[in-house]
Each structure stands twice: as structure tokens, then as C-alpha cells.
């Protein structure tokens, strides 16, 4: 139970108390700041406290946004504010500092405004709600109250609530093909007490059933898989809209939302590959290639965004051109569709599954994603080269965490530290060479499953260590993690393909999926402001260079069938390790109560 304290002159006939109780607050009254302070201190420390002026007039949804959103330690609208446990002490101090006696009317007349300004000065993370067309005000006179009520009656807050449940920025297919009706499904779920986590889980289960249908290898199974995949995406949109509609953000929701999209998509790839195999067509290499390409695309997105998250003097002619294009409406949608976001991508996969074959699905996916990756990466390289930006220590640390360097690269980096210059192109060049040397060798060599490949992997590790020896603050240093991901994932793919035994590519698919999950988990921890996974986990997984070295040793030392078994065992061990730690983190009380509003991935 949360507690709302009404402090100020009472207003007869006001629906405010009923609204607060509707929002789940226990309503109490305080006649002055001293009484308010006493009530605040009496509320258990783990509960939320709200302070509301009885003369408040506004929409119920304005109160909901200010008083019930779990993402902010403190939030406010005119006439109402709230403090979660993290900001309770600051609120108590703010109330305690308000003087009493003559000459203090300007502080106590609208106490909520005084407390809001005080919390703002204390830098408690106060969130001032953007009301838009919603109304929230303190009516000091009957005339003001009447005007405010008329303003409230003129705006349908339920319509606003439905509209704002949808992401402000999304892909074309999602915006026009899904959201116009999924928002009503979200409201239907809210009115029946369903939670976003339940809808997210339903979306996952639907996608897994779709993957099972695709795995049958029959035309009927492919058609059913296409329809189910689209319905899974509808539910995927609905869970976020339900979270925004009812403000049900949670730590568990953040973890589910951050990971299930990839789990659904990659499970569907596996289902298509199994279905193709039933029809005599082996497309596991294409399925693994699609997963590698998709993951590397996302790493480019994540690295670029983290590198420029808080960059200063962030100017670029390329960004200016993009801004100009945004003023031409149709170009916005064209550019959003070119990058093949999740809505367009899933729609394409679903339609092609129903109408064609898995091989065609993967060809279209690989071509579309490759073009999208070239478009987005080229634009970001141009922006980075033409902008004058000073990157912060936080950005450099985020890139270092995304690099996922293990003990071997750390040792090499320590020995190379002090050589080279921070901000030069040395880091991305070394990272590129680290990946290129290894990939050229395994692709060109007649038998890459040899001890010579192990020696090349050691050289690759040396170059990787040199790449991260200095803080990653250069203009193109955000390319370091994507180069490492491409080197690791494609090496696994090629080695599994070259051993040419049944089961090798599916085992490699599972291994890359486990490692990719670890990398996505790292991204969302950084986004949540809690930093990367603990170093013991990174060291236990070997880092990217350690895993490559282990895999090349296994390929050289074991027979093809033994290598397949080793890949499977490694995939299972890594999956268990990263999943257990990830689940422990995301369900802990320290994990952030956030929901992914992110880019149309």
C-alpha cells in the first residue's frame, strides 16, 4: 500500500480522494508542514509516499503518471509529487526545512510546489512529467477551479492514455499494421488484470509453437508458422503497450523484454532449418549466418549508441542532413524501412515462410539485413568521421565492456599499455586485423581444423589485446566490439561447416546463441545503468579471444564427430553459466525497473 498525504485547504465535493484511492493510495490529511513531516516519517520506509494539494484539479491519468510510475525515485506534476524509498529521505528533509510562522505563506500556500523545487535542487532524480494535452493544476480560486474543470472535460484522458501507450518512434509496419489495434488489446489485458510479463511469456510461447510448426517441414506447417509468428509479434507489441498503459514496469519485465525477442527469432530460425532438413534441404549454415548477421548488426547499433550516449560537442554534417530529411515526412518512413526493423523483418519472414521455402526465407533475410547493415554502418562511420565530439570515460568503459575481452586479451593489453595514442584509429584497425587475419585463414585454408589455425588464433588474440590497450575514445572505436563479434561468430560458423559432419552446424548454432545471449545481456545491463556483468563471469566464459582459442584447439585435437560433441557440450555449459547469472541479476532488487523503449531493432 502507498500513502498519499493531502496538505492544504480542503475542497468540498472534490473527487481527488476517490481518484487517489483508485490509484491504490491510502489517503491521509495533514494541516501543516509539521503534520505532513510526522505522517511521512510514520510511513514504513519501503513504501511510496505522495504529497498532494487538495485543490488539485486534473486528469486521473496525470495523477497516475506522477504518482505510480516505478521508474523514477521521485516525480511531480503541479499540485502532486511522489517519492519512492530512494527519495524518501530527501522528501523528509525538504519538509523539515520549511519554516513556520509569519512570512512563510509563500512557501506553504502551495506546499507541493515548494517540495518539488527542493527535491529538484537535491538532484534526487526528480522526473517532471510531460503532460502534453493533459491537465494538472492547483486551482486557488473558484473561477480557476471552474476553468480547470472545463479544460479537463475538453480532453479525453483515456484517449491520451491509449495513444501514449504506443511508442513515439517505431517502424512503418508496426505503426500502421499493428499498433492501431494492439493498443486496444493492451487495454483489454489491463482491465482483466493481466501483466506485461504474462503477455511477454505468451508471445514467447506463440513464437516457439510457430517454430515447432515450421519444423514439421510441411506446407500446412509453414503456413501456420507464418500466422503464429505474426500473432507473436502482435503480442510482443502489446506487452510494451500494456506496460506503458498501466505503468507496470518491473525488473523481471526488463529482463524478459530484453531477451525474448532474440530468443523468439533465433528459435524460429532453428525451426525453419529443422523443417528444411525434413524436406532434404540443409540450410543450417544459412540459419546460423542469419543469426550472426543479425547479432553483429545489433552490436553495431549498441556500440555506436553507447559511444555517443553522452558525447559533447556532438556536431556532424551527416547528422544535419539527416535532420533535414526528417522534415520531409516520407523519407522518415523510407529510412526506417530500409534498416529492416523487427516489424518489417518478422512480416517478411512470416509471409515468405507461408508462401515459399526456408532457403528462400534465409536468402531474403541475409540480403535484406546485409543491405540494412551496410546502410546504417556507413552512415554512422560518416557521422563519426565528420563530427567533433569528446567521448567520456563512461562511453569508453561501455565499449570496453562490450568488447568482452577475456584474461588473455587483458594480459596482452597490460603489456601493450602506454603505446599508441588514445583517440587514434589504432584500436579499430587492430580489432579489424584481429578478425580479418583469423577469418581469411579459416576461409582460405584447405584444412582449417589444424594446429596452424591455433597459431593464427593466438596472433588474433595478440591483435585483440593491442586493440583494447588504450581507452576506447577514438572516433571509430565503437567498431571494436562489432569486429570482435564478427571474428568470433563467423569463425565458429566456418569451422563447423568445414568439418562437414551431421550435427556440427546445429551445435555451432547453439553455441553462438549462448554467446550472443551473453552479449545482449551485457548491453541491457549497461543500458539499465548497472554496468556490465561481473568480471568473474567474463573470465569464466573466456572472453571472445579465449573462446576462439578453445574452439580452434578442439577442432585441431578432435575428430570431426568429437568436435561436434565438444561444441555441443561447450554450448550447454556456456548457456547454463550465463543464464543462471543473468536470471540472478534481473530478478534481484538491484536490477533497474526499466522497459525497453528502444530502437526498432
Amino acid at each position: 500500500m502507498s500513502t498519499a498525504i493531502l496538505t492544504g485547504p480542503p475542497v468540498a465535493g472534490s473527487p481527488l480522494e476517490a481518484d487517489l484511492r483508485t490509484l491504490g493510495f491510502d489517503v491521509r490529511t495533514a494541516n501543516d508542514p509539521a503534520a505532513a513531516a510526522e505522517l511521512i516519517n510514520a510511513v514504513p520506509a519501503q513504501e511510496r509516499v505522495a504529497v498532494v494539494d487538495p485543490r488539485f484539479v486534473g486528469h486521473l491519468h496525470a495523477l497516475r503518471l506522477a504518482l505510480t510510475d516505478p521508474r523514477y525515485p521521485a516525480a511531480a506534476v503541479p499540485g502532486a509529487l511522489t517519492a519512492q524509498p530512494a527519495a524518501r529521505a530527501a522528501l523528509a528533509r525538504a519538509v523539515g526545512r520549511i519554516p513556520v510562522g509569519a512570512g512563510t505563506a509563500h512557501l506553504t500556500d502551495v506546499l507541493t510546489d515548494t517540495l518539488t523545487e527542493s527535491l529538484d535542487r537535491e538532484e534526487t532524480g526528480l522526473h517532471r512529467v510531460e503532460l502534453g494535452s493533459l491537465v494538472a493544476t492547483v486551482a486557488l480560486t473558484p473561477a480557476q477551479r471552474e476553468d480547470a474543470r472545463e479544460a479537463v472535460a475538453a480532453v479525453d484522458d483515456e484517449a491520451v492514455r491509449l495513444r501514449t501507450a504506443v511508442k513515439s518512434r517505431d517502424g512503418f509496419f508496426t505503426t500502421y499494421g499493428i499498433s492501431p489495434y494492439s493498443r486496444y488489446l493492451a487495454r483489454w489485458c489491463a482491465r482483466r488484470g493481466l501483466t506485461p510479463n504474462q503477455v511477454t511469456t505468451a508471445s514467447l510461447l506463440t513464437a516457439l509453437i510457430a517454430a515447432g510448426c515450421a519444423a514439421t517441414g510441411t506446407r500446412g506447417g509453414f503456413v501456420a508458422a507464418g500466422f503464429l509468428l505474426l500473432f507473436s509479434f502482435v503480442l510482443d507489441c502489446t506487452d510494451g503497450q500494456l506496460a506503458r498503459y498501466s505503468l507496470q514496469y518491473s525488473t523481471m519485465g526488463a529482463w524478459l523484454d530484453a531477451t525474448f525477442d532474440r530468443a523468439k527469432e533465433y528459435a524460429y530460425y532453428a525451426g525453419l532449418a529443422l523443417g528444411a532438413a525434413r524436406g532434404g534441404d540443409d540450410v543450417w549454415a544459412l540459419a546460423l549466418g542469419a543469426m550472426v548477421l543479425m547479432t553483429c548488426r545489433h552490436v553495431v547499433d549498441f556500440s555506436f549508441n553507447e559511444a555517443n550516449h553522452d558525447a559533447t560537442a556532438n556536431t556532424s554534417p551527416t547528422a544535419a542532413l539527416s535532420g533535414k530529411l526528417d522534415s520531409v515526412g516520407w523519407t522518415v518512413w523510407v529510412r526506417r524501412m530500409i534498416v529492416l526493423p523487427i516489424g518489417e523483418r518478422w512480416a517478411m519472414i512470416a509471409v515468405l515462410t507461408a508462401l515459399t521455402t526456408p532457403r528462400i526465407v534465409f536468402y531474403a533475410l541475409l540480403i535484406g539485413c546485409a543491405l540494412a547493415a551496410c546502410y546504417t554502418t556507413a552512415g554512422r562511420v560518416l557521422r563519426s568521421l565528420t563530427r567533433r565530439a569528446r567521448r567520456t570515460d563512461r562511453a569508453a568503459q561501455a565499449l570496453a565492456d562490450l568488447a568482452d575481452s577475456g584474461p588473455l586479451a587483458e594480459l596482452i593489453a597490460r603489456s601493450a599499455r602506454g603505446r599508441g595514442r588514445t583517440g587514434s584509429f589504432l584500436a579499430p584497425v587492430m580489432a579489424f586485423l584481429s578478425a580479418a587475419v583469423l577469418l581469411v585463414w579459416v576461409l582460405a585454408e584447405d584444412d582449417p581444423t589444424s594446429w596452424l589455425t591455433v597459431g593464427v588464433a593466438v596472433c588474433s588474440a595478440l591483435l585483440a589485446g593491442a586493440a583494447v590497450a588504450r581507452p576506447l575514445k577514438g572516433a571509430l572505436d565503437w567498431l571494436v566490439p562489432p569486429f570482435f563479434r564478427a571474428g568470433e561468430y563467423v569463425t565458429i560458423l566456418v569451422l563447423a561447416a568445414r568439418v562437414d559432419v551431421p550435427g556440427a552446424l546445429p551445435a555451432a548454432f547453439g553455441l553462438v546463441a549462448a554467446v550472443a545471449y551473453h552479449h545482449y545481456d551485457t548491453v541491457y545491463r549497461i543500458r539499465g545503468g548497472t554496468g556490465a556483468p561481473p568480471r568473474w563471469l567474463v573470465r569464466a566464459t573466456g572472453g571472445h579471444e579465449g573462446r576462439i582459442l578453445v574452439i580452434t584447439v578442439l577442432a585441431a585435437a578432435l575428430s570431426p564427430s568429437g568436435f561436434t560433441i565438444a561444441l555441443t557440450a561447450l554450448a550447454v555449459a556456456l548457456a547454463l553459466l550465463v543464464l543462471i547469472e543473468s536470471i540472478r541479476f534481473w530478478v534481484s532488487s538491484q536490477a533497474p525497473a526499466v522497459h525497453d523503449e528502444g530502437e526498432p531493432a
Side-chain angles (χ1 to χ4, degrees):
M1 174 67 74
S2 302
T3 300
I5 299 169
L6 294 176
T7 176
V11 177
S14 171
L16 180 59
E17 289 193 34
D19 287 345
L20 291 170
R21 291 192 176 95
T22 297
L23 297 177
F25 284 90
D26 177 25
V27 182
R28 303 182 187 182
T29 302
N31 296 323
D32 52 53
E38 185 176 342
L39 285 175
I40 289 171
N41 291 327
V43 175
Q46 70 275 14
E47 292 186 9
R48 176 194 293 267
V49 171
V51 179
V52 184
D53 194 301
R55 296 164 293 180
F56 174 89
V57 179
H59 288 100
L60 175 62
H61 193 50
L63 276 179
R64 181 182 290 108
L65 291 170
L67 305 185
T68 66
D69 195 327
R71 294 173 296 175
Y72 309 106
V77 294
L81 77 152
T82 185
Q84 293 204 72
R88 282 279 303 275
L91 177 62
R93 288 194 299 271
V95 176
R97 283 196 298 264
I98 295 177
V100 295
T104 63
H106 67 288
L107 297 174
T108 58
D109 187 31
V110 184
L111 183 61
T112 53
D113 290 353
T114 301
L115 295 177
T116 297
E117 294 300 327
S118 181
L119 289 178
D120 210 1
R121 287 193 298 271
E122 287 209 28
E123 298 182 356
T124 57
L126 176 72
H127 172 65
R128 292 181 182 267
V129 178
E130 295 183 8
L131 292 171
S133 58
L134 295 175
V135 176
T137 187
V138 176
L140 302 179
T141 67
Q144 290 178 352
R145 177 168 291 275
E146 186 60 29
D147 290 343
R149 285 174 174 170
E150 290 178 2
V152 169
V155 176
D156 183 353
D157 71 336
E158 179 61 20
V160 172
R161 189 181 178 191
L162 272 174
R163 185 178 69 250
T164 54
V166 178
K167 284 182 181 179
S168 59
R169 180 181 182 273
D170 222 327
F172 181 87
F173 177 73
T174 305
T175 300
Y176 293 105
I178 303 295
S179 294
Y181 57 88
S182 61
R183 69 184 75 184
Y184 295 101
L185 179 58
R187 182 172 66 181
W188 183 89
C189 293
R191 291 177 175 177
R192 283 153 183 80
L194 297 176
T195 68
N197 294 350
Q198 291 170 333
V199 178
T200 302
T201 303
S203 176
L204 173 66
L205 293 175
T206 304
L208 293 179
I209 295 172
C213 291
T216 63
T218 64
R219 178 52 52 195
F222 288 149
V223 171
F227 279 108
L228 286 170
L229 187 65
L230 284 177
F231 183 59
S232 174
F233 183 65
V234 172
L235 294 176
D236 183 57
C237 295
T238 300
D239 68 352
Q241 291 165 0
L242 174 59
R244 288 182 286 273
Y245 180 84
S246 56
L247 301 181
Q248 295 185 72
Y249 302 100
S250 68
T251 56
M252 178 65 79
W255 175 64
L256 296 177
D257 193 60
T259 57
F260 276 15
D261 278 353
R262 302 288 81 79
K264 289 181 285 189
E265 191 165 1
Y266 297 160
Y268 192 79
Y269 293 173
L272 282 175
L274 288 170
R278 286 179 177 273
D281 189 12
D282 187 354
V283 296
W284 274 106
L286 296 177
L288 180 51
M291 181 166 67
V292 168
L293 180 56
M294 191 63 56
T295 305
C296 290
R297 264 194 68 193
H298 288 143
V299 173
V300 169
D301 296 341
F302 298 144
S303 296
F304 179 80
N305 291 336
E306 288 303 324
N308 297 283
H309 181 271
D310 47 10
T312 57
N314 194 355
T315 58
S316 165
T318 309
L321 174 61
S322 179
K324 290 180 180 179
L325 289 174
D326 283 343
S327 64
V328 183
W330 65 270
T331 66
V332 175
W333 293 116
V334 169
R335 286 185 294 146
R336 290 187 188 179
M337 293 172 69
I338 287 175
V339 301
L340 206 64
I342 188 170
E344 277 75 0
R345 190 167 68 250
W346 281 30
M348 180 186 75
I349 293 171
V351 171
L352 291 179
T353 298
L355 300 179
T356 64
T357 65
R359 181 172 290 272
I360 293 176
V361 173
F362 285 123
Y363 281 154
L365 191 60
L366 286 166
I367 293 170
C369 289
L371 292 174
C374 291
Y375 169 77
T376 55
T377 305
R380 287 166 178 171
V381 168
L382 286 174
R383 289 190 183 201
S384 300
L385 291 174
T386 56
R387 76 179 7 150
R388 295 178 180 177
R390 180 177 300 170
R391 290 183 171 84
T392 63
D393 292 338
R394 177 200 175 280
Q397 183 59 53
L399 291 179
D401 292 334
L402 290 173
D404 192 33
S405 300
L408 181 57
E410 285 182 336
L411 179 63
I412 297 166
R414 280 196 295 270
S415 64
R417 198 153 289 156
R419 303 172 187 176
R421 181 170 58 87
T422 299
S424 69
F425 295 120
L426 181 63
V429 169
M430 290 294 102
F432 171 77
L433 291 175
S434 172
V437 164
L438 185 60
L439 293 181
V440 169
W441 174 267
V442 296
L443 288 168
E445 180 65 16
D446 291 336
D447 180 20
T449 59
S450 67
W451 291 103
L452 286 175
T453 305
V454 177
V456 175
V458 172
C459 294
S460 174
L462 291 171
L463 292 168
V468 296
R470 303 284 292 177
L472 298 176
K473 294 185 176 182
L476 295 179
D477 284 1
W478 56 270
L479 287 170
V480 170
F483 284 145
F484 287 164
R485 297 295 81 75
E488 178 181 4
Y489 296 161
V490 179
T491 297
I492 296 172
L493 189 163
V494 174
L495 289 177
R498 297 292 292 274
V499 298
D500 196 25
V501 297
L505 280 167
F509 188 97
L511 177 58
V512 172
V515 176
Y517 177 87
H518 168 58
H519 292 144
Y520 280 111
D521 186 53
T522 300
V523 166
Y524 284 100
R525 292 196 197 206
I526 294 172
R527 279 186 172 185
T530 57
R535 285 305 302 170
W536 70 261
L537 179 66
V538 177
R539 292 190 177 100
T541 61
H544 69 94
E545 81 291 346
R547 289 188 295 270
I548 289 174
L549 194 56
V550 168
I551 290 165
T552 55
V553 168
L554 292 174
L558 301 175
S559 65
S561 58
F563 179 60
T564 300
I565 294 172
L567 281 182
T568 304
L570 189 59
V572 172
L574 281 175
L576 289 174
L577 183 63
V578 298
L579 275 172
I580 290 172
E581 164 56 22
S582 177
I583 293 171
R584 182 209 63 77
F585 168 78
W586 285 103
V587 301
S588 70
S589 58
Q590 289 77 31
V594 297
H595 213 74
D596 179 27
E597 302 290 331
E599 303 77 14

